[in-house]
Amino acid sequence: EGVLLGVPAGSAVKSVYSGRVVFAEWLAGLGLLTIIDHGGGYMTLYGHNQALLKDVGERVNTGDSIALSGDSGGQAVPALYFEIRKDGKPVNPANWIR
């Protein structure tokens, strides 16, 4: 439902928009995962990280580093899993990826 982006291990993972961290821990299949609630029903998910830099409850701004990319959660090579949800349903992330 999201996209898997090949990135070098240890790359800074940045928030696409401001919000509050609502999940920051291991999740089977996605490894070390951060979920940010942006309000208005929007959430972003960032998975397969090697380190998480923000804790649950922390506010983040657009472009803040929230994690370091890696290969956790069963990835054979370093990659970032990125997903956007609106009211719990997946949204095409193409407009948010640079």
Side-chain angles (χ1 to χ4, degrees), residues 22-53:
V22 294
F23 186 91
E25 62 184 78
W26 182 270
L27 184 67
L30 289 177
L32 288 173
L33 174 69
T34 294
I35 301 175
I36 300 174
D37 183 346
H38 302 285
Y42 283 96
M43 296 181 122
T44 50
L45 293 76
Y46 309 80
H48 298 307
N49 299 296
Q50 72 179 12
L52 303 179
L53 305 178

Side-chain angles (χ1 to χ4, degrees), residues 1-87:
E1 296 178 9
V3 292
L4 195 59
L5 306 167
V7 295
S11 297
V13 175
K14 299 184 178 192
S15 176
V16 297
Y17 197 72
S18 61
R20 185 175 56 87
V21 176
V22 294
F23 186 91
E25 62 184 78
W26 182 270
L27 184 67
L30 289 177
L32 288 173
L33 174 69
T34 294
I35 301 175
I36 300 174
D37 183 346
H38 302 285
Y42 283 96
M43 296 181 122
T44 50
L45 293 76
Y46 309 80
H48 298 307
N49 299 296
Q50 72 179 12
L52 303 179
L53 305 178
K54 302 292 182 180
D55 294 321
V56 171
E58 284 191 69
R59 298 271 320 151
V60 297
N61 294 311
T62 303
D64 281 357
S65 292
I66 58 169
L68 299 177
S69 62
D71 60 2
S72 66
Q75 281 300 109
V77 295
L80 170 66
Y81 176 79
F82 177 68
E83 181 179 329
I84 300 174
R85 291 192 165 254
K86 167 74 169 142
D87 297 327

